[in-house]
Amino acid sequence: MNNLVIDDFTYYRIYIDSPGKLIKYSSIEVNAWKILQDKNLNFINKPISVFELDSEEKNSFPYCKSKIYLPILTDYKTLIDSPYMKGLDTKEVLCLYKKMATLLKKMHNSEIIHSDINATNIMINEDLDIKFIDFDASIIDSYISRENIYLDENFSKSEIIINSIVDDKIELLIMFLYYLANGYFEFNEDRYINFSSLNLNNNIIKELRAYISGKIKPINDYYFEDIVDDLLKLGYESPKCKRKI
């Protein structure tokens, strides 16, 4: 089997099994993957099948707990790579955010927390159907992956879950603010947003900065919908995302 290679990057735990399937060695336990398979969430890339590791695989992948077969998402590209994400106007960006936030809320309400939201882990096709991918750091019905960034910190299980939900919300927000500020999606690891380029009023900027810095945490079912709705109602336009003529 050959490793998956995309844009010269080799995925050392992912292999091409056949034209339509991938094999991935994962740190998530088999039972957690099976729970995810049973969830009614058609916007996530769920495993086709899940297996325990044999002795040889355990030696080769000592930090992994399972082997999963995943469908290759034909005709889907990441938000960074998709040609359909180039040159969106402000309204299109805001409406796409609302669509993704609704799906993220549905995921959270189904007790699935992604824990690694970024523009490389969301895929989209020509019809703007969305797939969330790469759940190796996720929380599944209170099962916490060993790759979750809070697991080795001095947090209780409930604190890890709450923090991970907040992170999902904030990272999705940052992704779209970055697009409005720059005109494209990018893997924005340092979370930097040039607010001065957004042409937003000071009150909204102050509120957004408070959420991103962690001074304010979004409450349970809040995904910044009111801010987006207000911007749509006002006909807000980012200087980088001009309305199409």
Side-chain angles (χ1 to χ4, degrees):
M1 293 187 298
N2 296 320
N3 287 94
L4 177 67
V5 180
I6 299 176
D7 296 331
D8 296 325
F9 182 84
T10 300
Y11 292 82
Y12 289 101
R13 290 190 296 164
I14 307 178
Y15 298 85
I16 299 172
D17 177 59
S18 67
K21 286 193 298 183
L22 298 172
I23 293 176
K24 182 175 186 177
Y25 291 92
S26 170
S27 60
I28 299 281
E29 293 181 3
V30 167
N31 288 340
W33 281 126
K34 288 182 176 179
I35 291 169
L36 186 68
Q37 284 180 305
D38 290 338
K39 297 288 183 180
N40 184 26
L41 301 171
N42 61 3
F43 54 88
I44 67 176
N45 192 25
K46 294 189 285 188
I48 301 166
S49 51
V50 184
F51 298 95
E52 300 278 359
L53 303 185
D54 61 30
S55 57
E56 183 178 343
E57 290 168 332
K58 287 177 181 178
N59 288 331
S60 299
F61 302 96
Y63 296 103
C64 292
K65 298 291 185 182
S66 61
K67 177 173 70 175
I68 62 174
Y69 286 76
L70 290 165
I72 294 176
L73 298 175
T74 306
D75 300 326
Y76 284 79
K77 297 285 187 181
T78 70
L79 295 183
I80 293 175
D81 299 322
S82 172
Y84 312 112
M85 297 295 100
K86 312 297 182 187
L88 300 179
D89 65 27
T90 302
K91 183 178 180 180
E92 290 171 329
V93 175
L94 294 175
C95 289
L96 186 61
Y97 170 82
K98 287 190 68 177
K99 181 176 182 178
M100 290 194 191
T102 298
L103 296 178
L104 186 63
K105 181 186 290 191
K106 184 175 181 181
M107 190 192 304
H108 289 167
N109 289 339
S110 299
E111 298 184 274
I112 306 297
I113 307 162
H114 189 282
S115 303
D116 192 15
I117 294 290
N118 64 69
T120 67
N121 283 339
I122 301 175
M123 302 186 80
I124 198 162
N125 67 6
E126 185 176 6
D127 298 323
L128 304 187
D129 288 324
I130 294 159
K131 296 285 188 183
F132 289 82
I133 66 170
D134 193 354
F135 284 79
D136 272 17
S138 65
I139 299 174
I140 302 172
D141 273 28
S142 81
Y143 165 83
I144 301 173
S145 167
R146 66 188 299 167
E147 294 185 27
N148 186 284
I149 62 170
Y150 295 107
L151 195 62
D152 292 331
E153 305 293 332
N154 190 25
F155 290 110
S156 67
K157 186 177 229 182
S158 62
E159 287 173 326
I160 293 173
I161 291 171
I162 290 168
N163 288 342
S164 297
I165 290 173
V166 169
D167 281 357
D168 275 5
K169 296 179 184 183
I170 297 298
E171 297 303 335
L172 188 70
L173 177 66
I174 288 172
M175 275 173 41
F176 280 85
L177 290 174
Y178 188 93
Y179 193 108
L180 292 172
N182 297 280
Y184 55 88
F185 286 111
E186 189 55 86
F187 183 70
N188 184 22
E189 190 172 8
D190 62 6
R191 287 179 152 205
Y192 175 73
I193 303 295
N194 181 9
F195 281 98
S196 64
S197 70
L198 287 173
N199 196 26
L200 292 167
N201 70 55
N202 288 334
N203 288 335
I204 291 179
I205 290 176
K206 184 178 179 181
E207 183 178 2
L208 291 172
R209 279 181 167 155
Y211 279 118
I212 291 171
S213 69
K215 290 180 181 178
I216 305 175
K217 291 193 176 183
I219 59 174
N220 288 347
D221 261 0
Y222 181 60
Y223 291 72
F224 313 106
E225 300 96 333
D226 60 330
I227 296 176
V228 176
D229 286 338
D230 285 347
L231 293 176
L232 286 168
K233 185 177 179 180
L234 292 169
Y236 162 73
E237 286 194 52
S238 159
K240 289 288 187 178
C241 304
K242 295 288 190 180
R243 181 180 297 142
K244 293 182 175 69
I245 298 175

